[in-house]
Each structure stands twice: as C-alpha cells, then as structure tokens.
Amino acid sequence: MTEMARCPACERAYGSYEGLSTHFSEEAARSDASHIMWLNRNITKDKGRGKELGSLLFEFFDTGKTGLRVWVKQRFIERFFGLKPHPFVLALQHPAKAVLIGYVLEHQHFLRQWVRSLSWVLAKTDRADVVKEELDNIVTEFYGYGDDRPSHYELLIRMGQSLGLSRETVLGTPPLPATVSAIQTWQAIGRDKHWLETMAAMHSLELIANRDVKQDGAKITYFDPQILQNDEITPETKAFLHEGYEADVEHSEVPLEMVERYAKEFGLVEDVQITFLKSVEAFDSYLMARLERGMQFDGRLVAYAGGRAA
Amino acid sequence: MKVRRDGCVICGATWGDYWSEIEGQRMFFCCDVCANEFSNMVTEVKKKTGWESVDEIRMEGNYRGRVCEALSGSQSYTFFISFGDDGSIRNFVERPET
C-alpha cells in the first residue's frame, strides 16, 4: 500500500488505507453527511462491507497498475459512462431541442469559468510546456482562430441561435444554482490548490466529449455519433458538437499526460486524485443543471432523471 | 406512512445512525441531509396537493434527482425533485408529461 492516504471528504492525511478506513467508519458512525455521501457515491452504501473498507479504498485509489492518467479516465468513465450513465449523457444521445437549450444556457457560464481556471494554472506554473498547452486551449475554447475557426464559445452561441435563442438571451440568462455552486468549486480549486491539481481538475472534464472512451470501458459515448450524420440536429449544433468531438481527445489526453508526469515529479499524486474527485462531483451536479434547465422548456425530460429515456 | 426499512429512507444506505420524526413517525436516515430532503419533500407534496397526509412516496433515481410518485388514499401525484447540498429543494417539477 502507498505511504499516505488522504480523505477525499475532509482532506485529512492518514498513514495507511486502514487508517483512512477507520476514519471513515468513525465519521459514518456519527452520521457525518459529507463522508457518508462520498462512500455512497464512490465505494458502497452497505455498512456491512465496513470490515473490508480499507481494501476497498485502496483498490479505489490504487494507481500502481495503470498510472494516474488511466486511473483518472477509469474513475471518470465509471461516473459518467458506466452502468448508470449520467442522465444528461442519456438525454444527449439523441437530444430533444430542450436538452440543447439547457446545454447552451448553462454552458456559456462554464466556458467563462474555464478561462478563469486555466488562467489560475498560467498564473502559478513555471513550466513552459504547461503555459503553451493552456494558451492553446484558451484560444481554441474562447478566442478562436479567425473566421475560419471560431472559438467553442462562439460555436455554442451560434448553436443557441439555431435553436431560437437570441445572442442576448444566451449571454444574459443567469446560471442555475447548481451551475453557480460548481463554478465556485472550480474557482476555489484554482485559487487554493497547486496548479497541477487545477490542471487535472479541469482537463479531466474534457473526457466527457472524448470519442475514444469506449476503448477504455465506457458503455456509451457523450452522444450517438450518428446525430452528426443525419438531420436530427441543426447544422450549428453539429458544428459545436463536432468541435468538441474532434478537439477533446487531444485536450484531455495531452494535459493528463503532463499531469501524470509532474504529479510523480512533485509527489502530488494523492492530492491530484482528491482534487480531481471534487471536480468530478461538481461536474456531475453541473450536468444536472443543464438537464434541469432543459426541463423548464420541456417537462418530459424529467424521465431521464429516473434513469430512463423520455 | 410506508417507507423503506432496509436502509436510509431516501438513499438506502446503511451507514450512519440518524433518526428523525417526520409526520409523527420515527424514521432512519444515514445523515441529516437525507432527513432534510425527505422532510422537505413531504412538506412540498402536501403544499402542492393540499393533502393532509401522505401514505407513501415511491422514488426512482438517485442523488442527481428523483422521479417520484406520492400516494394518498386513492390519489396519486408525480413529480421530479432534486436537492441542494443542505437538503433544500433545488428543483421541483410538477406532474411531468411522460
């Protein structure tokens, strides 16, 4: 077992996973919500498995067999593309118009935070390859490369316009509370954590649109690629989704390789893991905000929250 | 009121040891957040329906959000509900067309 085990709920460090297991059991015995929620969502809801909790935690955090980059991918895929895919991912397979409207109205806030978060990395890092990677990402996501290659942000707005929303509506609609909360989490990570943790927290999220996730065990991809070929969605929606479909393989894989390399060099593997998990939790909630925004336009979308198609 | 007895009334977990009295009935929850969620859910259903009591709330989904059917006598009421970090209601959508 590794020398240090950090609690993913309260971030206290323990000398072993047995120590962390005891800590979790004590917190659960006093009904602490944050520790129980973490166990429920990541390990087990069954207190009866308490005796094997140490080994379950070790297995969950172990990067020894695969390395940090693959560990991040596996945990991300389990959460969003596993046996119970995220409801927004289910809704996006063949999206109703309201799903896409929810996507546009919440995601413009995400993309603005995206630039802030990557700017925290730029402000704190001393590594030239990291600076170059983050600058390239910011230009692609937010600034663009002229009229031929508009930014992802601009493509999102155009997608909204193709769905009947004005540019003013897209940019002027305040975020839902779950989006606000998620943005606060990412802003706090950028402000308070090591730049490498921020890098992991943000670029891991680009796995959501990575078209290669099925090779790593995902049951489904972000959307059914067929929708890029047929007439289910508008050309502007295709342009937006296609951009992510193409870019997010590189945008997730390259930075995660850097994260793995520097985490070893700096001795930050456990810290990166904990911060990544906090980011994933925020992202999970943020994706629900997209769906809940869509429900304001089409109440039938609630069916996805029960784990079935509308 | 008919509630699950194999774990937390909301999430089914067997961790924790938090008991709360809701609608005059002592119920097991894993934590105070789940207890708040259920209490807020029952209160909201009664407010929306005008019912004096709720016999059962059937739930489908998880922490991300739940599609529920509340029952009172021969009456039924379906809704979607999701919660904030403290168990307050984040979103409540009445009688969705399914």
Side-chain angles (χ1 to χ4, degrees), chain A residues 25 28-29 31-33 36-37 39-41 44-48 50 53 79-80 84-87 177-178 181 281 284-285 288 292 295 299-300 302-303 305-306 308, chain B residues 4 10-19 29-34 37 60-67 79-85 90-93 96-98:
Chain A
S25 296
S31 304
D32 180 78
I36 289 176
M37 277 185 200
L39 286 174
N40 286 347
R41 294 177 191 183
T44 178
K45 288 183 176 180
D46 183 6
K47 182 184 174 182
L53 191 53
R79 177 63 82 105
F80 298 104
K84 289 183 181 174
H86 192 285
S181 176
E281 200 65 48
D284 194 317
S285 178
M288 276 311 290
E292 290 183 19
M295 289 177 197
R300 289 173 298 183
V302 302
R308 55 196 161 91
Chain B
R4 67 186 303 168
I10 278 276
C11 71
T14 51
W15 299 109
D17 189 24
Y18 193 92
W19 293 82
F29 297 94
C30 63
C31 64
D32 60 332
V33 173
C34 280
E37 289 182 1
E60 199 177 303
N62 56 26
Y63 63 91
R64 290 162 168 151
R66 291 177 171 87
V67 180
F79 58 96
F80 165 82
I81 195 165
S82 63
F83 300 98
D85 293 341
R90 186 177 77 203
N91 195 7
F92 189 102
V93 180
E97 305 158 34
T98 53

Side-chain angles (χ1 to χ4, degrees), chain A residues 149-168:
Chain A
R149 282 185 62 197
S151 68
H152 213 189
Y153 185 68
E154 176 60 26
L155 290 174
L156 179 79
I157 296 168
R158 291 181 189 177
M159 169 169 134
Q161 289 175 311
S162 78
L163 300 166
L165 302 170
S166 69
R167 184 173 283 264
E168 291 71 27

Side-chain angles (χ1 to χ4, degrees), chain A residues 8 36-45 56-57 60-61 75 78-79 277 280-281:
Chain A
I36 289 176
M37 277 185 200
W38 192 88
L39 286 174
N40 286 347
R41 294 177 191 183
N42 295 283
I43 304 294
T44 178
K45 288 183 176 180
L56 291 173
L57 286 165
F60 181 85
F61 284 105
R75 295 282 92 90
E78 280 168 11
R79 177 63 82 105
L277 291 169
V280 160
E281 200 65 48

Side-chain angles (χ1 to χ4, degrees), chain A residues 45 59 72 85 219 226 242 247:
Chain A
K45 288 183 176 180
E59 282 168 25
V72 164
K219 302 295 176 197
Q226 282 298 316
H242 187 263

Side-chain angles (χ1 to χ4, degrees), chain B residues 49-78:
Chain B
T49 59
W51 296 345
E52 287 190 6
S53 64
V54 178
D55 295 336
E56 184 181 0
I57 299 180
R58 295 173 181 162
M59 292 176 255
E60 199 177 303
N62 56 26
Y63 63 91
R64 290 162 168 151
R66 291 177 171 87
V67 180
C68 306
E69 181 183 19
L71 304 170
S72 180
S74 60
Q75 300 176 91
S76 166
Y77 176 73
T78 55

Side-chain angles (χ1 to χ4, degrees), chain A residues 118-136 194-197 199 203 254-255 257-268:
Chain A
L118 268 51
S119 298
W120 281 113
V121 177
L122 287 170
K124 290 181 173 183
T125 188
D126 59 351
R127 303 295 164 130
D129 57 347
V130 171
V131 172
K132 195 176 168 193
E133 180 64 28
E134 299 300 35
L135 282 175
D136 175 67
H194 191 283
W195 61 263
L196 190 65
E197 293 174 65
M199 204 176 174
H203 291 292
V254 174
E257 280 171 16
M258 290 182 181
V259 166
E260 181 169 72
R261 178 158 40 91
Y262 286 127
K264 268 188 201 163
E265 182 182 330
F266 301 153
L268 286 174

